[in-house]
Structures are given as structure tokens and as C-alpha cells.
Amino acid sequence: MRLHWFLPTTGDGHEVRTAIMSTDAHRPPGRPGSVRYLAQVARAAEDAGFEAALTPVGAGCPDPWIVCAAVAQHTGRLKLLVAFRPGFTLPTLLAQQAQAFQEISGGRLLLNVVTGGDPVEQRSYGDFLDHDARYARTAEFLDVLRRTWTGRRYDFHGEHYKIEDGLTAPLDPIPDVYFGGASPAAEQVAAGHADVALMWGEPPAAIAARAARLRALAAAEGRHVRFGIRLHVIARDTASEAWAEAERLLAGMDPARIEAAQQRFARFDSTGQQRMAALHGGSVKGTDARSLEVAPGLWAGVGLVREGAGTALVGSYDEVAERLREYADLGIEEFILSGWPHLEEAYRVGEYVIPRLAPGPAGLVSGQVTG
């Protein structure tokens, strides 16, 4: 297992917040996403035993390349999983950015490819391609990007990119490419180009079905892909304490805030976002947090106000570790976790959950936890 954390570049606090908006409709973040604060979170993740930290990308986010280059100066081992939008820059230029980042960070770059799922946001950047065309462009982008890393000149003539005597930016090490997407077009890109296919947290049966489908698609391409999952974590000494924290987070989501968020998410053409919405149905289904428990220990309440990854593992430290093991048994090798506030929760997960995943008789999982 490889365990990663999350950098809340749009701000942090004691409540569920959006990931790619600099301000929320109800109030600004309690902790602004300054480099000083993000460096604290990154050092906590590093000390806690996480291997890397993911950054978001979007209209409300500071540029991930610049933020991660700054954070890298405050850490010594932690890798930075830098998110970027293919199509918003040329793949040849991004290859040079990656080369510079590897030099600055001492080889600690990982890449997270975000094709984009909000047509309104895409158009605000000046991108008017439809859903499937964006993924076709992503496939070409990654094809060109990998060619630049070979160190050999090349020609490329595609629908979206045409390059003659292409620039090279050989890298050592070459960063792993993480890619998320749940539509047929996205899964085909993952099968053909990703090192790690990322999924948002769904019930184990749904994850197993997606992993089997992606495994078959990759095999048809003569490739092997690893699988990763993005989950929030609410872990405490006891299950009752963890669910009480989920109740507190839910209480911070007033109906007007939920309605505004759901209206915004409804315009997305993201299949993954639609799958998240199907778990919670756009509203609280009962009188308490457990009414949104969609599988044992898997809570869909986060997705009421947060775009993207909208589920959390809730339970005692032992229970959360057991849930992680269930996903690992399905073939999930990489786990990108988070919790509010990200600073304190990095330490909590590092102190109480990661040791329960350690190899040997005291751990729940055989194998290696990288960190």
C-alpha cells in the first residue's frame, strides 16, 4: 500500500469545504491556504508517514506548480502530486516544467491529470471542447508528453497537437502519471496512458467492477495499470466518536449551502460526479449522519457540499484500517486520504491508522506501507 495526503490549497478549517473554490458561499476558510500553512500540512504528512501529497486544480485554486515548488522547499522527502489540466498548456512546455520541478525538488514529482468535468469552468478558461473531445485531447497530450521524456526527437500529427522535430525533456526519474475519470472515454485514456487509475470512493462492489473493467481495457492495450482511490477519513478511538464527528460536519452544512452546491454540481458533465451524486441523492435522507452511510463505514455526506471525492471512511481506528484493507484486497494499491482540518488529521491518521496497516503480526495488512 502507498498512502498519500492532500494539500488544501483553497483553505482549511473544521468543516467540509470545497476543493477548487477559493471561497465558499457561506463563509471564507478559517485557515487560508498560505504557503506557510500548506508547508505545515506537508511537514505533518511527511512526519506521519505519507509518501506524497495531492494538490487540486481549478478556477479557484492557486497554480499547483508554483504552490508545490514552494512547499517542496519546506519538506525533504514528501513527493508532490501536482494536478494539471491538459489542453491549457502545450505538452512540450509541461514537459519542461516537469523537468524543472524534478531538479528543484530532488526528483519528488508525481503528476495528476485532470481533464475537467465542469463545462462552465472550462469555458471560463477559453476551452469549448465537449466531454469526449476533451478526453481525446488528453490522450494525445499524454502521448506527446511521454515522447518528450525519451530524449529522442519526434514528429507528431494528431487532431489536437501537431509537432515537428519535437522538443525533448528527458527525466530521471520519470514521474508516475495519475489519472481519474469514470466515463467510457476516460477509462480508455486511463487504460492506454496512466500509471495509476484513480477512483473516488464508492462501495467496494462498485470499485471491484470498475477495477475489473479497467484491468481488461489495459490488458487489451498491452499495459498494466495500478489502481488508486481518493477518500476522506473520520477516524476516532471509537465508532461512536467518529460518527459524532460526522454529525458535527453534517450540522455545518445548512440546507441553503447544500442546495447551492448541488445546483452547481448538476451542470457538470463528469460521470464521476454523477456517481457521487447518486450515493447521497442531493440531500440528507434521514435525521442523522448514518442515513448517508452507503456501505459499512462509508459516508456520502461529504459530497453534499464538496465537488469531486465525496465520501469518507468513518469508524474507529481499527474499523477504518479494516475498510482500507478491504479496498486493498480488491487491488487498490494507492490511497489518497484527507480530513478536516488537514493538519491535525494528518497526524491522527499517521499515529493511529497507519500503524494498524504496518507489516507483521501487529498490522492488519500484509505487504508494504510506503512512507
Side-chain angles (χ1 to χ4, degrees), residues 328-344:
D329 288 344
L330 298 176
I332 305 299
E333 300 179 48
E334 309 214 11
F335 296 81
I336 303 175
L337 309 176
S338 57
W340 294 274
H342 289 74
L343 177 61
E344 289 89 334

Side-chain angles (χ1 to χ4, degrees), residues 49-303:
F50 292 98
E51 179 177 348
L54 170 69
T55 56
V57 64
C61 302
D63 181 83
W65 286 102
I66 296 174
V67 170
C68 288
V71 169
Q73 307 311 301
H74 298 274
T75 55
R77 176 189 55 79
L78 189 75
K79 296 178 182 177
L80 285 307
L81 182 46
V82 179
F84 72 93
R85 292 278 177 90
F88 289 8
T89 188
L90 291 171
T92 44
L93 176 58
L94 188 129
Q96 290 182 304
Q97 292 175 298
Q99 189 179 51
F101 194 98
Q102 289 292 58
E103 293 175 359
I104 290 170
S105 68
R108 290 187 281 143
L109 174 66
L110 302 171
L111 290 173
N112 180 39
V113 184
V114 181
T115 299
D118 179 355
V120 174
E121 183 190 41
Q122 295 292 125
R123 291 194 293 270
S124 75
Y125 277 104
D127 180 22
F128 285 77
L129 292 185
D130 64 23
H131 177 279
D132 285 3
R134 293 199 301 271
Y135 282 99
R137 180 179 60 190
T138 295
E140 287 190 15
F141 186 104
L142 294 176
D143 191 347
V144 172
L145 186 62
R146 290 194 183 276
R147 291 174 191 237
T148 68
W149 290 335
T150 66
R152 298 186 299 271
R153 294 280 182 168
Y154 60 91
D155 291 336
F156 185 90
H157 298 281
E159 181 179 355
H160 300 280
Y161 300 103
K162 292 179 174 60
I163 299 168
E164 295 180 358
D165 195 24
L167 292 172
T168 65
L171 285 183
D172 184 19
I174 292 175
D176 282 345
V177 173
Y178 292 66
F179 178 85
S183 68
E187 290 186 342
Q188 195 62 56
V189 174
H193 298 276
D195 297 302
V196 180
L198 285 178
M199 295 174 266
W200 291 332
E202 296 183 64
I207 294 297
R210 287 204 60 205
R213 186 166 61 250
L214 282 161
R215 198 175 286 117
L217 288 171
E221 297 282 341
R223 302 184 70 250
H224 168 78
V225 297
R226 305 195 306 275
F227 300 116
I229 195 167
R230 177 77 179 92
L231 289 159
H232 310 284
V233 175
I234 305 172
R236 296 295 186 269
D237 284 325
T238 67
S240 60
E241 290 176 289
W243 282 104
E245 176 64 8
E247 290 283 0
R248 187 191 68 78
L249 291 172
L250 184 62
M253 308 175 195
D254 64 71
R257 184 184 175 205
I258 293 173
E259 182 179 2
Q262 292 304 307
Q263 287 179 355
R264 185 169 73 90
F265 303 160
R267 75 192 190 199
F268 289 16
D269 58 7
S270 163
T271 300
Q273 187 67 54
Q274 293 164 6
R275 292 172 73 101
M276 288 290 100
L279 295 177
H280 56 66
S283 63
V284 180
K285 298 178 181 178
T287 59
D288 60 12
R290 295 202 80 142
S291 68
L292 291 169
E293 186 179 14
V294 295
L298 184 67
W299 185 55
V302 173

Side-chain angles (χ1 to χ4, degrees), residues 316-327:
S316 69
Y317 301 126
D318 284 333
E319 289 172 337
V320 168
E322 182 63 25
R323 298 290 84 77
L324 292 171
R325 182 177 71 172
E326 289 177 358
Y327 285 113

